[in-house]
Amino acid sequence: MLESILLGLIQGITEWLPVSSEGLVTASATFLLDKSLEDAIGISLWLHLGTALAALLSFKADILNLTKRFMGNPSYLKGEIGFLFLGTAVSALIGLPLLLLAGEIFQSDSTKNGTQTFAALIGIFMIVTGVILLRSKRTGKRKRNDSGTIDAILTGTAQGFSVLPGLSRSGLTVSVLLARGMDRRDALTLSFLLSIPAAIGASLYTVFSSGVILSPEHLVAVGVSFITGLVTIRILLKLADRVNFGIFVISVGTLLASNIFFAGLI
C-alpha cells in the first residue's frame, strides 16, 4: 500500500512539472513493485486518471463556461473552444498510434536510438527557445482566448509525442505556448485543460487493453494522485507570474538533450 501511495504522489506532482511523469512512475513501479515494463507503463497511464480528475475539478468553472458557449453556438470553433477541439484531435491522431505501437517501438535497439536522438533534437530546440525567453524582457501578452489554429496544431503535436517515455507533456505543451507569445498563466491553463481528454483516454485505454486490475492498491494510488494533483495545480497557478519560464524551458530541453549521453552510459 505504501508503494501505491508513493506512485500516486509521484504522478500527482510530476504531471505538471517539466519532467516525464510517465517515465518516473514507470521506473518506480518497475523498481518498487517488481513489475514488468509493460505492466509498469499500464499503471503509469492508469494513474493519469487521478490528475485528469484534479484538472477537471480545478477548472470546473472554465469547463462549464466553455461548454455553455459551445452548446449555445456549436458552429463557433474559435478561441479556447477551437484550440481544445483541434488540439485534442491532433494529439489523438499522433499519440494513439504511438501508444498502440509502443511495445514494438522499443523492441529494437536501433529504434530506441532513433527515439533518443529525436528527443535530444527536441531538447536542443527547447534550450534555444528558453534562451530567447530569458533574454526577452516582456512576458507573452496573448490570452488563451486568442489561441488559434497554429497554436492548436503545434501544442497538440507536442502532446501527442509526449506518450513516448521521457518526453514531458506539460513541459512540451507549455513551452510551445510560451514560444507562441502566450501569457504565462494562460499557457499553464491551456496546457492543463488540453491534458484532460488525453489523460482520461489513456486511462480507459489501459483498463480495456492492458487489463489493469482495479485493486484497492490501484484505486488508492489514483486517489493520491488526484489529491496531490489538486495541490500542485493550485501552487503552480499562484506562482505563474513569479516563475522564470526561460529556466523552465531550458530545464526540459537539457533533460531531453541528455538522453543520448545517459543512454550511452547504460
Side-chain angles (χ1 to χ4, degrees):
M1 188 65 71
L2 289 177
E3 291 88 348
S4 298
I5 293 174
L6 179 59
L7 292 180
L9 284 171
I10 293 173
Q11 171 61 29
I13 295 173
T14 60
E15 172 63 19
W16 317 115
L17 298 178
V19 294
S20 173
S21 63
E22 182 182 346
L24 288 175
V25 173
T26 298
S28 300
T30 303
F31 177 73
L32 295 175
L33 304 181
D34 196 28
K35 297 289 185 180
S36 66
L37 180 59
E38 181 180 1
D39 289 342
I41 291 176
I43 292 172
S44 172
L45 294 176
W46 163 246
L47 290 183
H48 279 71
L49 179 61
T51 44
L53 293 175
L56 272 172
L57 184 59
S58 297
F59 298 102
K60 61 181 183 299
D62 299 87
I63 294 171
L64 286 174
N65 181 48
L66 290 171
T67 302
K68 289 178 181 178
R69 285 165 52 190
F70 175 71
M71 295 301 291
N73 186 5
S75 63
Y76 185 82
L77 292 177
K78 296 182 179 180
E80 295 169 87
I81 297 175
F83 173 88
L84 293 173
F85 270 101
L86 181 56
T88 298
V90 171
S91 63
L93 287 173
I94 294 174
L96 184 57
L98 288 178
L99 196 58
L100 292 173
L101 297 174
E104 299 179 11
I105 287 176
F106 295 102
Q107 281 181 356
S108 68
D109 289 337
S110 60
T111 307
K112 285 182 182 179
N113 292 334
T115 302
Q116 289 157 358
T117 302
F118 176 72
L121 287 174
I122 293 176
I124 292 171
F125 284 122
M126 289 183 67
I127 291 173
V128 173
T129 301
V131 171
I132 293 173
L133 290 172
L134 279 177
R135 292 176 63 87
S136 175
K137 296 181 180 180
R138 298 184 299 110
T139 181
K141 298 298 183 182
R142 297 178 64 212
K143 297 298 181 182
R144 49 184 169 158
N145 202 42
D146 299 328
S147 53
T149 301
I150 301 300
D151 302 306
I153 292 175
L154 293 177
T155 311
T157 299
Q159 179 165 275
F161 277 108
S162 70
V163 302
L164 297 174
L167 297 183
S168 166
R169 189 209 64 80
S170 60
L172 291 177
T173 54
V174 170
S175 297
V176 167
L177 291 168
L178 290 173
R180 293 285 298 164
M182 194 70 63
D183 172 81
R184 290 179 288 187
R185 184 183 178 91
D186 283 355
L188 285 173
T189 300
L190 283 177
S191 173
F192 294 163
L193 288 173
L194 190 63
S195 74
I196 295 173
I200 292 176
S203 301
L204 293 177
Y205 166 81
T206 303
V207 171
F208 291 115
S209 66
S210 302
V212 170
I213 301 174
L214 303 182
S215 64
E217 289 80 7
H218 287 161
L219 294 176
V220 166
V222 166
V224 173
S225 71
F226 166 70
I227 295 171
T228 311
L230 277 176
V231 175
T232 306
I233 288 174
R234 291 176 181 176
I235 291 175
L236 284 176
L237 289 177
K238 286 183 178 179
L239 296 177
D241 293 330
R242 304 177 187 175
V243 174
N244 189 321
F245 280 97
I247 295 177
F248 178 97
V249 175
I250 289 174
S251 66
V252 182
T254 303
L255 286 171
L256 295 178
S258 63
N259 262 357
I260 291 181
F261 172 75
F262 287 111
L265 296 179
I266 297 176

